[in-house]
Amino acid sequence: MEATNDVWLEAALNGPWGRHRQPGIPVTIAEIVAEGIACAEAGAAVIHLHAYDASTGLQKDDWEIYAAIFEGIRAKVDVIVYPSIPLAGDKGVAIEGGAAGRFAAVSRLADEGLIEWSVVDPGTANLARYRDIEGGRGGFVYRNDFADIDEGLSLADTKRFHPSYAIYEPGFLRLGAAAARQRPGMPAPLYRFMFSDEFTFGFPPKGYALDAYLALLAEEAPGSRWMVAGLGVDIDPLAELAMERGGGLRVGLEDAPFGTGRSNLDYVEAMVRRIVSSGRRPASAATIREAMAAA
């Protein structure tokens, strides 16, 4: 994919971590709305978030919580806002109703016309931090069964939203592309390459790793849109390379190293400065919609 002057910038506001893992994340509806608006006004055309039960501080995938957040953000800014799904495999995460239950909030949000994208992660991975392995604690298996993947893509196909693929390992890309080929009329997936400094999955944020992903993407899903992101990571080493190759960038407290003292707005503003200093500009939501429709 050729480079463009319009750089896609996504802000991932909170993730599933809770404040015990990432103290600075927004949790209440009002907090998430305010940070989403601020990041969009600063230049992020895509906002990703996890809904929370403010009383417990835990992720709660309730469509009504998501709806209130989406409507609050969109009342002020034109931005692509999309939800998550329960983090299957993490301690304390209970999912009722199988694959349909896991995507129940996504399905209802689509029925209400509130989403343009949603998470569909095409694979399973061990999520463990180096420090936890060194401390003898290990991690957990982030599980996405074939039934879950099929449910997510079936909803994307029938309810007309774009799947946002998190690519934790190269096999995620191959499986996601193969599954998408079986649904030729489905809205095009976005491939989000997940790098990490703190976790042991996939690749570190280095140039050879991006080259490998792009070579594989060219074979499996040529012409697809993509961006660099991750967990427990600073993607700055990949920013210029991604822009040169026509990719997007994701920043924010979901992806940032745990315990960072920076805010979502800090990350967005810093990346916007980098985009502008490179002679480019942050893409608008309208530009991204048009490009995804043509992918």
Side-chain angles (χ1 to χ4, degrees):
M1 185 175 296
E2 295 182 358
T4 174
N5 282 333
D6 292 315
V7 178
W8 298 18
L9 180 59
E10 176 177 333
L13 300 183
N14 49 16
W17 307 128
R19 285 182 170 152
H20 62 290
R21 288 169 169 162
Q22 190 69 292
I25 63 170
V27 168
T28 69
I29 291 173
E31 289 169 347
I32 298 170
V33 169
E35 293 200 24
I37 292 169
C39 289
E41 289 179 338
V46 181
I47 303 292
H48 172 59
L49 58 95
H50 295 232
Y52 272 77
D53 179 342
S55 66
T56 65
L58 300 176
Q59 181 172 325
K60 185 176 183 180
D61 292 271
D62 183 320
W63 81 269
E64 292 178 304
I65 299 175
Y66 275 120
I69 296 168
F70 293 174
E71 289 168 348
I73 293 173
R74 291 196 183 119
K76 298 294 184 180
V77 288
D78 178 28
V79 68
I80 297 165
V81 188
Y82 74 102
S84 189
I85 53 176
L87 189 66
D90 196 9
K91 183 179 180 181
V93 177
I95 302 170
E96 298 180 359
R102 193 173 183 204
F103 282 89
V106 169
S107 180
R108 183 62 183 270
L109 290 166
D111 288 341
E112 297 293 326
L114 291 172
I115 58 172
E116 303 170 73
W117 297 10
S118 188
V119 168
V120 181
D121 289 348
T124 293
N126 290 314
L127 296 190
R129 298 169 74 199
Y130 282 98
R131 65 180 296 176
D132 289 336
I133 292 172
E134 292 162 0
R137 294 183 295 275
F140 67 96
V141 178
Y142 176 43
R143 192 180 69 252
N144 293 286
D145 297 335
F146 284 104
D148 295 331
I149 299 166
D150 186 66
E151 176 72 12
L153 294 183
S154 177
L155 291 174
D157 195 7
T158 59
K159 299 179 186 290
R160 313 310 296 165
F161 60 80
H162 294 280
S164 178
Y165 284 168
I167 307 301
Y168 287 89
E169 307 278 4
F172 280 45
L173 191 161
R174 300 175 77 184
L175 175 56
R181 287 194 293 269
Q182 303 312 303
R183 299 179 182 275
M186 183 181 74
L190 174 83
Y191 290 78
R192 185 163 26 88
F193 304 141
M194 303 291 283
F195 299 93
S196 190
D197 296 305
E198 291 191 29
F199 288 82
T200 61
F201 67 78
F203 290 114
K206 295 186 177 180
Y208 74 82
L210 180 57
D211 289 344
Y213 271 136
L214 291 179
L216 185 59
L217 187 67
E219 291 183 2
E220 295 286 345
S224 294
R225 308 301 301 208
W226 58 274
M227 65 171 50
V228 296
L231 300 177
V233 72
D234 178 356
I235 64 160
D236 279 0
L238 291 177
E240 185 61 36
L241 290 173
M243 290 190 285
E244 288 174 357
R245 290 160 172 76
L249 307 166
R250 186 169 102 158
V251 296
L253 291 179
E254 175 168 356
D255 294 4
F258 286 176
T260 178
R262 299 173 65 187
S263 69
N264 284 307
L265 187 57
D266 289 337
Y267 280 106
V268 170
E269 289 179 336
M271 193 56 74
V272 168
R273 288 194 295 270
R274 185 158 188 179
I275 291 169
V276 172
S277 68
S278 75
R280 303 175 179 92
R281 63 192 176 196
S284 68
T287 296
I288 294 175
R289 291 185 187 107
E290 182 179 358
M292 288 298 291

